[in-house]
Amino acid sequence: MSPKKAKKRAEGASSNVFSMFEQAQIQEFKEAFTIMDQNRDGFIDKNDLRDTFAALGRLNVKQEEIDDMLKEAPGPINFTVFLTMFGEKLKGADPEETILNAFKVFDPEGTGILKREFVTEMLTTQADRFTAEEMEQMFAAFPPDVAGNLDYKNLVHIITHGEEKDQE
């Protein structure tokens, strides 16, 4: 597909995308897009994705994985295409599954747990930063185990259902 056609298709696909989200959500997506657009050219490309993974601590991401991500877009990924892709992913998504998937990005082995120090670093240094007080409140409500592991699957269950999951 020619870049012109891809651009047209991307524009056409997104004509109503901004009405899918509240203004605050759009602002958060814009922040995420800006963080990912490492070279600040207005588009997310392979190098931006690779740099974003590196910033999140995943250094050996396979080129194939990055190519697969880029193939999900109808063309070059500008902010409107980015927003459209999130809209499509979130349409009909279960909030529990959406939150779990966010945690799974940081847990490639799928253990279901994250280190307290790592969670603290991520939540106090990225996007909407948590304060020290907010971190204390979270760990008081959802204490890590003695080894400092946070069971994020249980945390997500409590967030979305308001009660602790029965231990299997």
Side-chain angles (χ1 to χ4, degrees):
M1 182 183 312
S2 74
K4 253 188 182 161
K5 272 190 182 162
K7 190 172 190 280
K8 263 286 180 239
R9 187 170 155 209
E11 286 170 2
S14 62
S15 57
N16 203 17
V17 69
F18 290 94
S19 64
M20 288 174 58
F21 300 105
E22 294 171 21
Q23 197 56 47
Q25 290 174 302
I26 292 172
Q27 189 54 45
E28 287 180 14
F29 283 123
K30 185 68 179 166
E31 284 177 32
F33 180 86
T34 304
I35 289 168
M36 292 175 74
D37 182 17
Q38 299 276 319
N39 63 7
R40 303 289 180 255
D41 66 353
F43 293 90
I44 294 175
D45 60 24
K46 315 179 189 216
N47 294 331
D48 291 328
L49 285 177
R50 187 167 298 290
D51 292 346
T52 300
F53 275 118
L56 295 173
R58 279 193 62 197
L59 301 176
N60 21 353
V61 180
K62 292 183 179 77
Q63 187 59 49
E64 182 185 344
E65 187 177 351
I66 288 175
D67 290 340
D68 287 346
M69 287 178 170
L70 291 171
K71 281 181 200 156
E72 289 184 36
I77 305 174
N78 62 17
F79 179 63
T80 307
V81 172
F82 181 79
L83 199 58
T84 303
M85 291 172 71
F86 266 98
E88 289 167 358
K89 290 264 189 233
L90 295 174
K91 213 184 304 175
D94 171 18
E96 182 173 14
E97 186 182 342
T98 303
I99 298 169
L100 260 179
N101 287 338
F103 277 106
K104 285 178 184 170
V105 168
F106 304 108
D107 181 24
E109 281 81 49
T111 61
I113 56 172
L114 295 171
K115 287 281 178 209
R116 176 190 179 125
E117 298 80 37
F118 179 73
V119 172
T120 301
E121 182 187 341
M122 291 277 84
L123 293 178
T124 57
T125 62
Q126 306 294 318
D128 279 339
R129 294 175 174 88
F130 278 47
T131 63
E133 186 182 337
E134 288 170 324
M135 292 307 301
E136 280 178 37
Q137 289 171 349
M138 185 182 92
F139 288 130
F142 309 106
D145 66 16
V146 290
N149 295 316
L150 182 69
D151 176 352
Y152 70 80
K153 288 180 178 176
N154 192 38
L155 169 69
V156 170
H157 186 83
I158 293 169
I159 290 170
T160 55
H161 298 281
E163 62 201 36
E164 203 146 334
K165 193 155 62 172
D166 296 331
Q167 297 303 313
E168 279 101 55

